[in-house]
Amino acid sequence: MKVENIGVTTLGTNNRTIRKTKDQNYSYPAFKRNWAEHASWGANYLQKTGKTNFKLFSFPDTKAVFVEVADKAVAGIANIKDRLLKVVGVTVAGAGAVAAVDTKDANQPNVKAIDDASKIYPMESKGNGVFEVNDTVAKPGDKYRYIIVDKNNEINIVKDPYAKKQDSIHGWSSVYNADNYEWKNTDWLEGKDPRRIVRKPNEPLRGLEKLIIDEVNIPTLNSEGTFESAKSRIDTIAQRGVATAIEIMPVENTYSKQWGYDGVDKFAVNTNLGTPEQLKELIDYAHGKGLNVIMDMVPNHMGPDGNYLGQTGPYIKSSGKFGDLFNYQGDNNRYVRDWMTNAALWWANEFKVDGIRLDLTKDMDSDFTLRQIALELNEHNPGVFVIAEDHRNKDHALTSYYTPENVTHEDQIIDIDNRIENIRKGWNDAPWSIGVDSEWDSNYRGSLVHNVMDPNGANLNELDKYLATSHYRVKYGFSHDEIGNEDGTRLIPKYLVRHFDLSGKVDGHDDASRGQKAAQAAQRLSELIVSEGFEKLPNSKLAIAENEIGLNAFISKDELVNAFKAAVAKHKTILGTVMTTPGPKLFFQGDDEADLSHFKFFRELSDDRAKREADPGEIIKIFAEKGYDTLEESARPDSTLGRVKIGGMFKDLPAEMIKYSQGLRELLDKYPSIAKGDIFGTYNDYTNNIHIHKLKYENEETMVIKNYGTGFHHNSYSFGGFPDNSVWEEVFNSDAKEYGGGGYSNADRKDITSQNQNLSVAPNSIVVLRRIK
């Protein structure tokens, strides 16, 4: 192959060209999605030979690809042309220009060291944009990068889209030895530990209904924010005994410590958090404590910083709201789909996670790719469950497989290839089913929070609708999104904003700015209420404090305390409703102890500081949108779990909340009907803002009464949906004194019948009854 007049585009710039190639009318090679094919991409070090194979998907019309290997990253990349001139098969045509590259012998035995630092190996074209070179002298820890000669004779220097270790998002990739950790909890990996949750529904008590997920963000679990330091939180979660699983927000490699949804190295961990080995050790440690581990990954977009996919091959379709979108169904799409599928397989196989959570799958714009990921995980890692954040309410089709008789796994993947090709020809097509195991239930979440936070405008019938599909959807009240993407505050401050109409008690030039100022004022009010000495604070000093917080109207101490207590009760009611709804459940880190710390959206891109220096208005825009500074050094410390120390008159709140959460878990363990029963009836009491659902599993019946309103019912509440000829007893009450409640209770009664109800139900509370006759 001859290449003339090569120009240079370096990895050092973040400018990228999105290539759109014409349909080459090529046919894909025979089906090869076996494990060897999945594992063959990127840099693969072979311990047996001590050599490394490299495999890259680039543009189908790419003219040549080289891989440069260095013992250490070479300073600067401007001399790449000089390096290429020294490779056998590269010739010079005056003034140092590259006139030709001859790659007819891709395994040239006389490729030699270019200098003391690196070697460059030509890669053989296998057709359709696939390039390979085998048996190169590269060991774990060596640096490498690809040199792509495109159809215009320009050179693009890129990192590996399959990099398993990436120290800098703008630099060299590192050869990674996959066999670098000895797993300790082998019983867990072999499915012998009964605490492991697997996707097989026929294994007793090990289906997804056992999932109680604590969603965690590694950078904010403590001040260190690393994989190693996260072990202390694992200890706490395990000792507390509420959650059965942790879900780790994405750790795909990015520029800084952050939420993780701006990942650009889909196979490499964020080096700001630790090494791949340390992440494996953390997962192994969690398994040893009896906790399942779910890894969150992002298949819907590429982060904006350190993204060179557009220079590497046809991986990118277009730009989207959060970053570049992937070319799952455009020209030359097969290996792009395989790339993201292989990322999911990598987390499942290499890091031994028990589940994969796929972020915002509706924005993938390719249900066939989503199905492919689910199919391949089911084939190669059948014990690993898949959860989608989809938000489309696609009924059960999203979470079920449809496989015609006598259709093999190979046939199903080929079917996806063929049907996407038909879509490219203008057909309208969608998969029969997708096959993930569960999905985040944002509709349930929205209805629940609306009913609790604003009972006067509530829609209890809507909650009925979403309860009906609860068995296979993950229920939650607040996740990272509802906290950080709004204003960085949790439920209690959010309720104070509503209760006191704080948007009308702060100054601001528009609704958005007043809303953010109100949220931050509510946060500071919450921290003031739980501070030492608040109870004895005189009104004169309280007025000064409220003025400093930004309020333009005074709120009395009694009003603040009563509203805070109501907010705590609402927090318990939301968590209690989630936990007493059958199927998988989730809460955000610290919600099981009523943590009051912020969880702010924080990230820092590599050019953020330069942008701020060049345009002082940049920080004003950020404050207008978020209400706070999003730089890691500002937002992360405020978001650290446990930052707000709760004392004073509310000093017992964390312990009471933990006990409450443990009580809910004990309830689930004791009564299978609540964990996985069928909902066989609901009752909506709009007059009192009370919602009731009845559960049945085999011969066990339970009833959950949720009072979302402000009314007290002392031995006086009855409702028309109570079953005839039945006797019940109370087995749980969120208003119990041990949980910090007022003590409304029906615990001593064993005569609760349809004719003799007269129940005690406190406002913002949950009562659970068990049928005894």
Side-chain angles (χ1 to χ4, degrees), residues 361-646:
T361 51
K362 72 181 181 67
D363 285 353
M364 290 172 65
D365 292 330
S366 177
D367 282 348
F368 281 112
T369 302
L370 181 55
R371 176 169 170 80
Q372 180 176 329
I373 292 171
L375 284 170
E376 293 283 28
L377 278 167
N378 190 48
E379 173 73 10
H380 298 293
N381 297 90
V384 175
F385 51 86
V386 186
I387 301 172
E389 182 198 15
D390 199 79
H391 301 323
R392 286 179 292 178
N393 195 26
K394 288 176 66 68
D395 297 323
H396 199 62
L398 184 69
T399 56
S400 64
Y401 283 102
Y402 171 73
T403 303
E405 292 184 10
N406 302 320
V407 174
T408 65
H409 172 67
E410 175 179 337
D411 290 334
Q412 292 182 80
I413 302 300
I414 290 175
D415 177 69
I416 290 173
D417 289 342
N418 292 336
R419 292 171 72 182
I420 287 179
E421 286 302 303
N422 289 335
I423 289 173
R424 292 180 60 251
K425 295 174 183 177
W427 293 23
N428 185 18
D429 198 2
W432 305 292
S433 64
I434 293 175
V436 301
D437 299 290
S438 185
E439 61 175 309
W440 273 27
D441 199 341
S442 58
N443 290 306
Y444 171 95
R445 183 264 164 196
S447 175
L448 169 60
V449 173
H450 174 59
N451 278 288
V452 173
M453 298 287 273
D454 187 19
N456 292 326
N459 187 339
L460 299 175
N461 288 327
E462 188 179 62
L463 187 58
D464 284 350
K465 174 182 176 182
Y466 299 122
L467 279 170
T469 57
S470 65
H471 287 81
Y472 63 92
R473 288 187 168 129
V474 177
K475 277 76 58 189
Y476 62 100
F478 284 84
S479 73
H480 65 276
D481 276 330
E482 291 79 26
I483 301 170
N485 277 338
E486 292 183 4
D487 47 44
T489 68
R490 296 179 182 247
L491 182 148
I492 290 173
K494 291 183 192 301
Y495 177 72
L496 296 186
V497 171
R498 285 171 173 259
H499 181 79
F500 291 119
D501 188 22
L502 292 186
S503 296
K505 292 180 173 64
V506 295
D507 297 325
H509 61 275
D510 57 26
D511 289 344
S513 65
R514 283 191 293 273
Q516 288 296 350
K517 287 183 177 181
Q520 304 315 312
Q523 176 68 30
R524 293 179 64 187
L525 276 177
S526 299
E527 296 184 28
L528 176 64
I529 293 167
V530 299
S531 65
E532 294 287 349
F534 174 75
E535 191 173 12
K536 296 180 179 179
L537 190 69
N539 280 337
S540 58
K541 290 188 176 181
L542 177 58
I544 293 172
E546 290 183 359
N547 183 260
E548 290 174 347
I549 284 171
L551 300 184
N552 56 30
F554 178 70
I555 303 174
S556 73
K557 187 186 302 180
D558 286 345
E559 288 178 298
L560 289 174
V561 170
N562 289 334
F564 190 90
K565 288 179 178 179
V568 169
K570 288 182 179 295
H571 176 71
K572 289 195 296 184
T573 303
I574 287 178
L575 181 60
T577 304
V578 168
M579 293 284 275
T580 56
T581 304
K585 320 162 204 311
L586 174 144
F587 58 87
F588 187 68
Q589 63 184 31
D591 276 352
D592 57 337
E593 59 192 278
D595 186 74
L596 276 175
S597 304
H598 278 293
F599 187 66
K600 296 177 176 179
F601 176 82
F602 63 96
R603 72 170 182 187
E604 181 179 338
L605 306 181
S606 55
D607 59 355
D608 270 353
R609 294 179 187 276
K611 280 184 178 179
R612 290 168 184 243
E613 290 176 5
D615 180 9
E618 190 73 21
I619 189 65
I620 297 175
K621 295 177 188 175
I622 293 169
F623 267 91
E625 178 185 357
K626 297 292 184 184
Y628 51 81
D629 192 345
T630 57
L631 283 185
E632 177 198 332
E633 64 195 40
S634 301
R636 188 174 78 88
D638 278 351
S639 304
T640 302
L641 191 61
R643 174 187 65 82
V644 178
K645 306 304 179 186
I646 299 179

Side-chain angles (χ1 to χ4, degrees), residues 54-101:
F54 292 92
K55 184 176 179 181
L56 173 72
F57 172 55
S58 185
F59 297 101
D61 54 11
T62 291
K63 293 184 176 178
V65 176
F66 302 85
V67 60
E68 182 180 13
V69 181
D71 290 337
K72 57 184 179 179
V74 182
I77 56 176
N79 62 344
I80 194 64
K81 194 180 300 184
D82 295 333
R83 292 174 181 276
L84 283 175
L85 295 177
K86 298 177 183 179
V87 178
V88 175
V90 177
T91 58
V92 182
V98 176
V101 178

Side-chain angles (χ1 to χ4, degrees), residues 19-21 57-60 309-310 312-317 326-328 331-333 336:
R19 301 283 200 282
K20 288 190 176 179
T21 58
F57 172 55
S58 185
F59 297 101
L309 281 177
T312 307
Y315 294 84
I316 299 301
K317 175 181 70 173
F326 299 118
N327 176 34
Y328 290 136
D331 291 348
N332 311 307
N333 61 71
V336 180

Side-chain angles (χ1 to χ4, degrees), residues 146-162:
Y146 294 115
I147 304 164
I148 298 174
V149 182
D150 71 10
K151 65 179 182 179
N152 299 317
N153 300 327
E154 293 183 350
I155 295 176
N156 291 324
I157 302 172
V158 296
K159 60 185 179 180
D160 188 356
Y162 272 91

Side-chain angles (χ1 to χ4, degrees), residues 123-166:
M123 299 179 70
E124 180 182 1
S125 174
K126 297 294 185 179
N128 303 321
V130 177
F131 290 82
E132 293 183 21
V133 61
N134 296 326
D135 298 324
T136 63
V137 181
K139 61 185 183 301
D142 283 354
K143 308 299 182 184
Y144 71 98
R145 60 191 181 185
Y146 294 115
I147 304 164
I148 298 174
V149 182
D150 71 10
K151 65 179 182 179
N152 299 317
N153 300 327
E154 293 183 350
I155 295 176
N156 291 324
I157 302 172
V158 296
K159 60 185 179 180
D160 188 356
Y162 272 91
K164 311 304 191 302
K165 192 169 188 299
Q166 188 72 41

